[in-house]
Amino acid sequence: MESSESSPADVVARLQTDRPHSARVWNYLLGGKDNYPVDSEVGDVILSTFPEFAAVARLQRRFLARAVRFLVREAGVRQFLDIGTGLPTADNTHELAQRIAPESRIVYVDNDPLVLVHAEALLTSSEEGACAYVDADVRDPERILAQAAKTLDFSRPVALTLLGIMGQISDDDRPGDLVSALLAGLPAGSWLALSDGTNTNEALNTAVAAYNHQSANTYHLRSPQEISSYFDGLDLVEPGVVATASWRPDPDAPETDAPDVSVAGVAAKH
């Protein structure tokens, strides 16, 4: 496992265990143990307002699995740039891809120090492939692309995965421009797989507002139309940008517990 350089002192200084962090709250909602009391407390506030939120967290993980399997099996992708990785859990991107194509190469990107510590320990590649971690913010696409190029071959297609990460970017930071900048650095034949939360459910809006009031990070729910605009100029595969549960659902594992509060899509770059 390769990683960009961060000293142990830097990591400890950035942990901010007195404030909830999105990756740790998400981990709590998924039933993990890599979180602090402040994270579980705000997670409980979210669940008290919008009890289905844990189902939303699981929904995005299952979309990741379906999207990666499509990209490896049907699109022939062997390289992934996974931004907003979050804390490692079951069926991470490299495990999903390398289970089908062991030669797959994956670069994970996150700026949460706890994610960095766990990634270095747990995200280990197959012998045939490669797995690297970049400690960077999605607001810095130039750094991400430069670091990723040390592991990925940018003369061949790369699948960019952005699950729940663009909602963490404010309008002032122009999330659509960040998606465009990342895609601009990837070769023709590359792909985008993206899912994000929508502002169409008042209970979820209230829960996210409570989270934003307490957290070191803020989340920005957007309309399905705004999220769809991230795919402008790309070739969407069927069924397009749809409710996350409806994107090529697994007939053997239907999304029976999934509230319709996020959309997802997969598209190719010309």
Side-chain angles (χ1 to χ4, degrees):
M1 180 72 190
E2 307 166 24
S3 80
S4 56
E5 295 181 5
S6 285
S7 73
D10 289 340
V11 171
V12 171
R14 290 167 51 199
L15 276 175
Q16 291 184 293
T17 58
D18 61 328
R19 298 286 302 279
H21 273 244
S22 57
R24 302 192 309 243
V25 174
W26 202 250
N27 175 263
Y28 174 74
L29 294 169
L30 284 166
K33 301 186 183 305
D34 297 314
N35 49 76
Y36 295 98
V38 290
D39 306 305
S40 59
E41 287 167 11
V42 77
D44 287 338
V45 170
I46 291 171
L47 292 175
S48 69
T49 309
F50 189 71
E52 299 92 342
F53 204 95
V56 175
R58 293 190 296 268
L59 180 67
Q60 287 205 340
R61 293 299 302 184
R62 292 195 289 260
F63 167 70
L64 172 69
R66 299 196 305 276
V68 170
R69 286 195 292 265
F70 163 79
L71 289 163
V72 176
R73 287 176 178 156
E74 298 185 44
V77 173
R78 296 295 182 268
Q79 302 190 108
F80 289 83
L81 179 56
D82 182 333
I83 301 179
T85 304
L87 285 156
T89 181
D91 282 346
N92 300 289
T93 300
H94 74 287
E95 293 167 323
L96 292 161
Q98 292 179 351
R99 197 173 295 150
I100 304 167
E103 71 276 18
S104 298
R105 305 174 74 84
I106 293 85
V107 171
Y108 291 104
V109 181
D110 207 294
N111 67 340
D112 186 299
L114 192 63
V115 174
L116 169 63
V117 172
H118 284 266
E120 291 181 325
L122 298 176
L123 300 182
T124 55
S125 173
S126 65
E127 290 185 7
E128 303 94 326
C131 190
Y133 181 90
V134 175
D135 180 13
D137 193 295
V138 69
R139 298 171 186 83
D140 193 354
E142 290 184 6
R143 170 175 166 76
I144 289 171
L145 293 167
Q147 293 291 325
K150 297 178 181 179
T151 301
L152 306 179
D153 177 1
F154 278 14
S155 70
R156 297 170 50 230
V158 175
L160 171 65
T161 64
L162 298 168
L163 272 63
I165 185 64
M166 301 320 294
Q168 298 185 40
I169 305 303
S170 70
D171 290 344
D172 289 344
D173 287 320
R174 304 179 69 86
D177 288 353
L178 295 174
V179 175
S180 296
L182 288 163
L183 287 167
L186 303 179
S190 291
W191 293 79
L192 171 65
L194 183 147
S195 176
D196 232 321
T198 59
N199 60 5
T200 54
N201 182 293
E202 283 307 315
L204 178 60
N205 293 342
T206 301
V208 169
Y211 166 78
N212 289 346
H213 182 68
Q214 301 179 58
S215 179
N217 318 97
T218 56
Y219 197 85
H220 306 269
L221 298 166
R222 295 189 167 96
S223 71
Q225 293 76 19
E226 286 181 278
I227 297 169
S228 295
S229 72
Y230 300 149
F231 294 93
D232 287 353
L234 305 178
D235 292 330
L236 280 161
V237 298
E238 291 295 333
V241 181
V242 295
T244 301
S246 300
W247 194 89
R248 301 195 174 205
D250 185 344
D252 297 324
E255 305 283 5
T256 56
D257 64 344
D260 183 8
V261 294
S262 64
V263 294
V266 176
K269 177 181 175 179
H270 303 294

